[in-house]
């Protein structure tokens, strides 16, 4: 029997399916993020729940580098490869308005510049060529071409400017690809975007050559120089934009992406083709680090978008493509959650074990930590430790708390103790500590000074 209504579909899958598993894993993920980030407020000042977004932000700013370092890149990559092309098609079909921001980004740092100056034998300006393209106001491509110089007695100084709004270009390319292919051709998508940008630039230059330049009254030689400069820019941009159609391993590492990428695919260019064309398998050493960094980062945003689509009841849970997407998303999120759970478990266990980094440091730095308390000090035991706070920031774990150290304290030498002017006592002394750890729960070091990041102070001192 075909189930039509959404609430009937939800009822039909309450037993077991990947959508349900995803929901349970999402709740697990958020629950562990709350434990890992006790300083993030669950409620607003008005007492309203703040939702999951603050905890996802804390994940990206805090523990995500630990996840990136410890994820099984092969397993993670295979699930992403299974999910990505289906996701592209499904988002394009159901949420075309979100397609670009899900799988592509405008590079706000894009800046192309080329400048040449030719002087004559006397040091006077002969020709100057300057081209600039850069992003302003998030989505505006600002274009400038300046051409100046002197030929014999004729001086010229021309500038061609235009601001190109990228939003209508993006909308047009998305619309073009909505109904083209069953599998979204990501390379063709990028091609179409840059073709549209080049059309805007070329039309501006052509309008200048055909309409504006003839009115200037320059002689044939100067007119030719200006036309050549316009053609030079078109050719240079086409060559530069060619980098955007290549895989990361095909791009010259010396070519700065901010000089050629107006937009870029996320996690990275050509991602959806890596598995189909057997590139990941043959170049695992080059792509595993990209999976661990860029792909894990992209998944953090994508999984939140899936969560929103699911919780706002705007998908059909029995749809086979959604099921495939949520299957991979569940398995990927479980990997991430397991690493987060391992981290909070190690934090919980830290004060329970005698072999933690604080106690090891205190034992190895007895003179610094304990010797000032008496003439002779013997460390006997660490009977208790409590954590009062912790914070994970950029993959580093900072723990704060206190511990007791059982110490044998001797005031005076043996003769003084024997004649009563000295003393030997056994006492539990309290110490506060702050320590910063790496993901291996060993003491981290300051990058500049290489000093271990730990502080131990006698309570009340």
């Amino acid at each position: 029997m075909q189930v039509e209504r959404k609430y009937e579909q939800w009822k039909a899958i309450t037993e077991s399916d990947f959508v349900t598993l995803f929901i349970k894993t999402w709740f697990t993920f958020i629950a562990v993020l709350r434990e890992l980030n006790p300083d993030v407020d669950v409620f607003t000042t008005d007492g309203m729940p703040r939702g999951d977004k603050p905890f996802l932000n804390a994940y990206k700013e805090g523990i995500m580098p630990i996840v990136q370092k410890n994820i099984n890149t092969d397993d993670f990559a295979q699930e992403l490869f299974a999910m990505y092309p289906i996701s592209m098609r499904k988002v394009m079909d159901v949420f075309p308005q979100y397609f670009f921001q899900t799988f592509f980004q405008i590079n706000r740092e894009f800046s192309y510049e080329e400048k040449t100056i030719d002087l004559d034998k006397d040091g006077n300006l002969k020709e100057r060529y300057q081209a600039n393209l850069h992003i302003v106001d998030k989505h505006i491509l600002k274009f400038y071409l300046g051409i100046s110089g002197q030929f014999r007695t004729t001086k010229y100084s021309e500038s061609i400017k235009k601001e190109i709004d990228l939003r209508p270009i993006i909308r047009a390319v998305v619309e073009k690809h909505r109904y083209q292919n069953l599998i979204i051709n990501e390379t063709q998508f990028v091609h179409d975007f840059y073709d549209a940008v080049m059309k805007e630039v070329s039309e501006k230059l052509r309008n200048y050559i055909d309409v504006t330049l003839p009115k200037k009254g320059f002689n044939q030689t100067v007119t030719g120089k200006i036309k050549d400069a316009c053609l030079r820019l078109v050719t240079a941009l086409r060559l530069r934009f060619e980098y955007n159609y290549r895989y990361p391993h095909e791009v010259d590492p010396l070519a700065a992406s901010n000089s050629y990428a107006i937009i870029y695919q996320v996690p990275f260019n050509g991602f959806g083709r890596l598995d189909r064309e057997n590139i990941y398998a043959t170049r695992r050493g080059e792509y595993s680090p990209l999976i661990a960094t860029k792909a894990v980062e992209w998944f953090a945003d994508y999984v939140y978008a899936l969560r929103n689509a699911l919780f706002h009841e705007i998908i059909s849970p029995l749809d086979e493509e959604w099921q495939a997407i949520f299957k991979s998303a569940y398995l990927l999120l479980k990997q991430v959650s397991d690493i987060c759970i391992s981290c909070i478990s190690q934090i919980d266990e830290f004060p329970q074990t005698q072999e933690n980094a604080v106690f090891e440091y205190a034992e190895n730095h007895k003179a610094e930590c304990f010797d000032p308390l008496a003439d002779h000090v013997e460390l006997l035991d660490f009977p208790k430790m409590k954590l009062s706070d912790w914070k994970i920031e950029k993959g580093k774990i900072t723990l704060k708390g206190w511990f007791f150290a059982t110490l044998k304290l001797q005031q005076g030498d043996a003769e003084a103790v024997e004649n009563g002017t000295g003393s030997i006592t056994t006492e539990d002394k309290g110490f506060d500590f702050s320590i910063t750890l790496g993901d291996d729960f060993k003491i981290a070091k300051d990058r500049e000074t290489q000093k271990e990041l730990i502080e131990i102070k006698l309570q009340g001192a």
Side-chain angles (χ1 to χ4, degrees), residues 61-76:
E61 295 166 6
I63 196 175
M64 189 169 73
I66 296 177
V67 172
Q68 292 170 318
K69 187 175 179 180
N70 290 277
I71 202 76
N72 184 314
T73 53
D74 286 348
D75 291 348
F76 204 82

Side-chain angles (χ1 to χ4, degrees), residues 270-326:
F271 183 82
R273 296 179 288 129
L274 281 183
D275 190 49
R276 294 200 304 272
E277 299 182 9
N278 204 37
I279 292 173
Y280 179 78
T282 56
R283 293 182 172 270
R284 183 176 282 105
E286 294 169 88
Y287 282 96
S288 285
L290 291 178
I291 294 294
T293 52
K294 293 181 178 294
V296 169
E297 183 179 0
W298 173 79
F299 179 71
D301 292 321
Y302 183 69
V303 75
Y304 183 68
L306 280 181
R307 173 261 189 214
N308 288 340
L310 188 63
F311 289 176
H312 296 160
E313 200 197 354
I314 51 179
I315 69 163
S316 299
L318 293 185
D319 180 278
E320 290 184 2
E321 291 175 334
W322 280 124
Q323 282 282 341
I325 290 169
F326 279 104

Side-chain angles (χ1 to χ4, degrees), residues 120 137 148 168 189 318 412:
D120 63 19
D137 297 331
S148 59
F189 185 96
L318 293 185

Side-chain angles (χ1 to χ4, degrees), residues 24-74:
K24 293 176 180 178
T25 308
W26 177 264
F27 288 152
T28 301
F29 179 55
I30 292 300
V32 73
L33 291 184
R34 288 188 177 189
E35 290 290 327
L36 286 167
N37 301 280
D39 57 328
V40 176
D41 293 327
V42 178
F43 299 99
T44 66
T45 54
D46 298 329
M48 299 297 292
R50 300 182 68 210
D52 297 341
K53 186 65 173 178
F55 296 98
L56 189 67
N57 290 338
Y59 162 78
K60 291 191 286 187
E61 295 166 6
I63 196 175
M64 189 169 73
I66 296 177
V67 172
Q68 292 170 318
K69 187 175 179 180
N70 290 277
I71 202 76
N72 184 314
T73 53
D74 286 348

Side-chain angles (χ1 to χ4, degrees), residues 124-324:
N124 298 315
L125 177 66
K126 186 178 179 181
E127 288 184 14
R128 182 186 69 87
Y129 170 95
Q130 183 174 355
N132 297 97
L133 286 87
H134 62 278
I135 299 293
V136 296
D137 297 331
K138 298 180 181 180
H139 48 255
I140 302 297
L141 179 64
K142 199 168 185 176
F143 150 65
Y144 166 82
L145 175 61
I147 314 149
S148 59
Q150 181 171 347
F151 177 72
R152 295 179 180 172
T153 60
T154 303
K155 292 184 177 181
Y156 58 94
S157 180
E158 298 298 299
S159 62
I160 306 168
K161 302 177 183 178
K162 182 169 184 172
E163 290 189 355
I164 303 170
D165 190 340
L166 298 177
R167 290 172 295 182
I169 293 177
I170 291 168
R171 285 194 293 267
V173 175
V174 169
E175 189 62 25
K176 178 181 178 181
H177 283 259
R178 281 191 71 181
Y179 308 107
Q180 273 197 341
N181 302 297
L182 183 61
I183 297 177
I184 301 296
N185 187 328
E186 58 212 270
T187 304
Q188 188 59 51
F189 185 96
V190 175
H191 257 292
D192 291 343
F193 170 84
Y194 283 102
D195 286 347
V197 170
M198 286 304 306
K199 182 180 178 183
E200 293 278 346
V201 174
S202 298
E203 286 181 351
K204 179 65 178 178
L205 295 174
R206 176 53 56 189
N207 181 74
Y208 172 84
I209 291 171
D210 293 344
V211 178
T212 305
L213 186 57
K215 298 177 182 178
K216 298 290 184 176
F218 294 128
N219 60 44
Q220 185 176 356
T221 300
V222 171
T223 298
K225 288 178 178 291
I226 295 173
K227 286 182 178 180
D228 288 345
C230 293
L231 295 174
R232 170 182 172 180
L233 175 61
V234 171
T235 301
L237 288 179
R238 288 196 185 280
L239 290 173
R240 185 58 62 97
F241 291 159
E242 282 290 326
Y243 283 115
N244 294 286
Y245 316 139
R246 305 176 187 178
Y247 287 112
H249 75 269
E250 296 174 330
V251 176
D252 181 354
L254 298 179
S257 62
N258 288 340
S259 70
Y260 64 79
I262 299 174
I263 65 169
Y264 54 86
Q265 187 178 352
V266 286
F268 48 84
N269 283 356
F271 183 82
R273 296 179 288 129
L274 281 183
D275 190 49
R276 294 200 304 272
E277 299 182 9
N278 204 37
I279 292 173
Y280 179 78
T282 56
R283 293 182 172 270
R284 183 176 282 105
E286 294 169 88
Y287 282 96
S288 285
L290 291 178
I291 294 294
T293 52
K294 293 181 178 294
V296 169
E297 183 179 0
W298 173 79
F299 179 71
D301 292 321
Y302 183 69
V303 75
Y304 183 68
L306 280 181
R307 173 261 189 214
N308 288 340
L310 188 63
F311 289 176
H312 296 160
E313 200 197 354
I314 51 179
I315 69 163
S316 299
L318 293 185
D319 180 278
E320 290 184 2
E321 291 175 334
W322 280 124
Q323 282 282 341

Side-chain angles (χ1 to χ4, degrees), residues 81-91 302 321-322 324-325:
F81 293 148
M83 180 181 73
Y84 195 85
I86 304 173
S87 297
M88 290 189 94
R89 182 72 266 169
K90 203 63 178 174
V91 174
Y302 183 69
E321 291 175 334
W322 280 124
I325 290 169

